[in-house]
Amino acid sequence: LGVMLLPLPPLPYAYDALEPHIDATTMEEHHSKHHRAYTNKLNAALETLRGDPATKALAKLGIDTLLQRLDQITDSKLRAAVRNAGGGFVNHELFFATMSPDGGGDIVEHAGLNAAIVSAFGTMAMLKRALSLSALEVFGSGWAWLALDRRSDKLVVQSTPNQDTPAMDASTVPLLGIDVWEHAYYLKHQSRRADYIKDWWHVVSWPEVARRYDAARAATGKAEL
């Protein structure tokens, strides 16, 4: 039987649906080229893992779990490929899924998530300020995140370099992330990362963030890719 390859996760909206905040050309490039490239490279890395009896079992894991076990991949080149492509695959799935043409706003119509935001940050405005600052301060390429720390059951803001994901730590579940690699905004915003961040807030899908929050707090956790 042939091995099922991971498909490129489809966008839940058209490439031009986030206009004028995120332009259609950027969305098409970002999804159809960058996300596809990470998907293809991850499939190639998984094929290599499957071909070695010592790592065959790792290829059967969910991608989040695989990223938590990078130390079990002894080949440094393969380990880097899994880290970069696996991170790029899951990060972009979350990034695209947590945006919506109906997004934005300062009110979260979900009592649990809203209470968690107030508990951790005081107000929605303070959360936006903290996450925006984290995104602005990423040196070079990387991401800024709103995540649930399962140890404290608190929301946290953090950043990661390159395609690293908070999910590399099993106790941390990313709920919302902004991609600050230049390919995410350069065609429209050039070097104006701050303007891109302001525009991105207009398309954040709080219902999807709330859904991920509920899943992260449930005993089963979120479904893995």
Side-chain angles (χ1 to χ4, degrees), residues 3 39 44 96 112 138 156 179 185:
V3 174
T39 303
F96 292 130
V138 170
V156 295
D179 186 350
Y185 61 90

Side-chain angles (χ1 to χ4, degrees), residues 82-143:
V82 171
R83 180 175 191 156
N84 294 330
F89 179 78
V90 297
N91 289 347
H92 284 88
E93 186 279 330
L94 182 147
F95 177 65
F96 292 130
T98 52
M99 295 191 292
S100 166
D102 301 317
D106 293 318
I107 298 173
V108 176
E109 295 180 359
H110 181 283
L113 178 58
N114 189 60
I117 290 170
V118 170
S119 173
F121 304 101
T123 64
M124 171 63 84
M126 292 299 286
L127 162 60
K128 287 186 173 183
R129 182 176 174 184
L131 187 53
S132 296
L133 186 60
S134 181
L136 277 171
E137 289 181 341
V138 170
F139 178 75
S141 301
W143 295 74

Side-chain angles (χ1 to χ4, degrees), residues 149-160:
D149 182 339
R150 279 178 165 152
R151 291 161 297 201
S152 63
D153 198 31
K154 291 277 191 182
L155 296 178
V156 295
V157 163
Q158 63 185 88
S159 63
T160 57

Side-chain angles (χ1 to χ4, degrees), residues 62-71 73 79-91 94 143 145 147-148 150-151 158-174 222 224:
I63 305 306
D64 284 351
T65 303
L66 176 60
L67 290 168
Q68 293 158 14
R69 300 186 186 181
L70 291 172
D71 59 339
I73 304 174
R79 184 168 61 248
V82 171
R83 180 175 191 156
N84 294 330
F89 179 78
V90 297
N91 289 347
L94 182 147
W143 295 74
W145 303 94
L148 177 69
R150 279 178 165 152
R151 291 161 297 201
Q158 63 185 88
S159 63
T160 57
N162 302 314
Q163 291 298 348
D164 284 0
T165 167
M168 293 166 77
D169 177 348
S171 64
T172 308
V173 182
K222 80 175 184 68
E224 283 199 63

